[in-house]
Amino acid sequence: MAILKDLTVGFYKIPLPSVLSDSTHGEIKAFELVTIRARDADGAEGTGYTYTVGRNGGAIADILSREIREIALGMEADDTEQLWHRVWWALHYGGRGGPAVLALSALDIALWDLKARRAPLPVWRLLGGFDRRVPCYAGGIDLDLPLDGLLKQTDDNLARGFRAIKMKVGRPSLASDVARVKAMRSHLGDEFPLMADANMKWTVEEAIRAARALQPFDLTWLEEPTIPDDVAGHARILQAGGVPIAAGENLRSLWEFKPYIAGGALSYAEPDVTNCGGVTSFMKIARLAEAFNIPVTSHGAHDITVHLLAACPNRSYLEAHGFGLDRYIANPLVLEQGMAIAPDRPGHGITFDWKGLDRLSAG
């Protein structure tokens, strides 16, 4: 029996090596990292985390320390499904999203890491195993970079081994967006996988106009063209814009993905394991997408998500995020010819530099 004995929560503010920018969040100078270490009665430990782009990290850490600790301690750690539902429904009235589900996501990741370490297996094999080589793209957060800076960032990513690139759109001028995408397409060449992300910037009509203007540049997808609350709007953009649509990083549960997937509102399902309910929820979303013949991609937390996509036959691209967490991880993501390689270490294989993180404690 792997009785859950202790939970240790960490809260850190991670400065970024360079300022990032998108159409909704503006300049991002740091991100918040919330970690949880789950230990069982035998002394085995699993690690989970979630993050924000600058706000509400304290609320997430408090929910983990104050609420989830009381709910989860003493339960069987291997019963990830039971623990997930126990926490979800205990927090439902005052949660059902927001900081509560980010906290649940971190706990669930830690429990799957613990379960896999006890196995001992890498998470991707414990989840069924499909293919440890996962196509991977570099997710630029680069809306305000001048064009020469955007192209230099792209060249740096190509030199690092990426063979697919995502850029930001949603500038005040659509003509400026179109010119930048055109320049990127010219720089990368025909058929090179290129994605664009609007970060919910547009109305439905603006998004349709933008999608039509971007049609000539053969985007792999246009991401989050409008607010996540508008399922019908996404369906209209997909139907009228003529460009594949990716969405989901701001959806917080399997049930929020259901109308998107069943309603023909996206081309690529894009959950984030750190905010959709963790590994348990991510895999259900991926299986639901598979039933509708829809590929699943990812947002953020690439060191964890590489395991999940490596277990999905309908996997598409893994996003490698630009938050700079690699500085505090012993074995960062490995790329080979544009493919991310899911590690064979037991668990998810992430080992944090806890001493280094302690210097950035925000709690």
Side-chain angles (χ1 to χ4, degrees):
M1 298 287 286
I3 300 300
L4 198 55
K5 182 77 170 178
D6 188 35
L7 298 175
T8 302
V9 178
F11 176 30
Y12 312 97
K13 192 161 187 176
I14 313 295
L16 292 169
S18 57
V19 176
L20 306 178
S21 57
D22 67 33
S23 64
T24 302
H25 304 101
E27 289 190 347
I28 305 169
K29 298 178 180 180
F31 75 99
E32 295 175 311
L33 174 71
V34 181
T35 64
I36 182 166
R37 286 180 274 180
R39 297 183 191 88
D40 66 20
D42 295 330
E45 181 176 293
T47 303
Y49 75 87
T50 188
Y51 68 93
T52 82
V53 295
R55 300 288 181 186
N56 277 350
I60 297 165
D62 191 60
I63 291 168
L64 282 165
S65 298
R66 184 192 302 266
E67 308 291 351
I68 288 179
R69 181 190 303 278
E70 178 182 333
I71 298 163
L73 288 184
M75 292 190 66
E76 169 58 53
D78 278 345
D79 293 344
T80 46
E81 193 72 36
Q82 184 183 93
L83 267 160
W84 193 96
H85 280 273
R86 183 181 174 96
V87 173
W88 173 265
W89 289 109
L91 300 180
H92 188 267
Y93 189 83
R96 198 176 169 272
V101 77
L102 271 72
L104 171 57
S105 300
L107 173 70
D108 189 75
I109 291 165
L111 294 175
W112 276 96
D113 184 39
L114 175 58
K115 181 189 289 194
R117 286 174 182 269
R118 288 174 61 93
L121 288 169
V123 167
W124 68 275
R125 287 197 187 277
L126 187 64
L127 291 171
F130 178 71
D131 184 352
R132 68 185 299 219
R133 296 173 59 83
V134 180
C136 186
Y137 74 85
I141 307 177
D142 46 36
L143 186 71
D144 292 332
L145 284 182
L147 181 56
D148 58 349
L150 176 64
L151 298 181
K152 181 183 184 305
Q153 174 186 265
T154 298
D155 287 339
D156 290 344
N157 284 326
L158 294 175
R160 291 168 59 198
F162 288 102
R163 295 297 177 264
I165 301 287
K166 187 174 79 179
M167 62 181 292
K168 296 296 186 183
V169 292
R171 292 162 74 88
S173 164
L174 176 58
S176 175
D177 278 335
V178 172
R180 287 163 68 86
V181 173
K182 181 179 180 179
M184 281 285 279
R185 171 53 70 206
S186 176
H187 189 71
L188 294 169
D190 294 340
E191 299 185 1
F192 187 99
L194 174 63
M195 301 84 162
D197 184 356
N199 288 105
M200 311 171 285
K201 177 67 174 179
W202 298 315
T203 66
V204 172
E205 295 303 326
E206 288 170 339
I208 291 170
R209 181 168 172 251
R212 289 173 174 171
L214 295 172
Q215 270 188 28
F217 308 113
D218 189 27
L219 293 177
T220 302
W221 68 62
L222 176 61
E223 186 172 322
E224 285 204 307
T226 195
I227 57 173
D229 314 273
D230 191 354
V231 181
H234 277 82
R236 283 181 56 205
I237 296 163
L238 179 56
Q239 292 162 8
V243 174
I245 298 298
E249 72 181 70
N250 283 290
L251 302 181
R252 296 294 183 257
S253 72
L254 170 68
W255 301 286
E256 290 188 7
F257 272 90
K258 178 183 174 182
Y260 271 87
I261 292 171
L266 48 72
S267 311
Y268 294 83
E270 187 192 11
D272 183 327
V273 67
T274 69
N275 69 30
C276 75
V279 175
T280 297
S281 185
F282 186 104
M283 295 306 294
K284 291 179 181 180
I285 293 162
R287 302 310 187 208
L288 177 63
E290 182 184 2
F292 282 84
N293 199 27
I294 290 173
V296 62
T297 179
S298 67
H299 176 263
H302 51 255
D303 294 284
I304 298 166
T305 316
V306 66
H307 287 271
L308 314 190
L309 294 185
C312 293
N314 60 323
R315 56 84 185 283
S316 176
Y317 287 94
L318 171 75
E319 177 180 42
H321 222 297
F323 281 150
L325 194 56
D326 287 357
R327 293 171 290 166
Y328 304 99
I329 293 177
N331 297 286
L333 187 71
V334 173
L335 279 179
E336 292 181 1
Q337 298 180 336
M339 308 290 276
I341 310 301
D344 269 332
R345 299 183 296 277
H348 52 48
I350 299 171
T351 301
F352 281 115
D353 173 11
W354 296 111
K355 289 184 178 180
L357 286 175
D358 282 346
R359 293 192 291 271
L360 304 172
S361 177

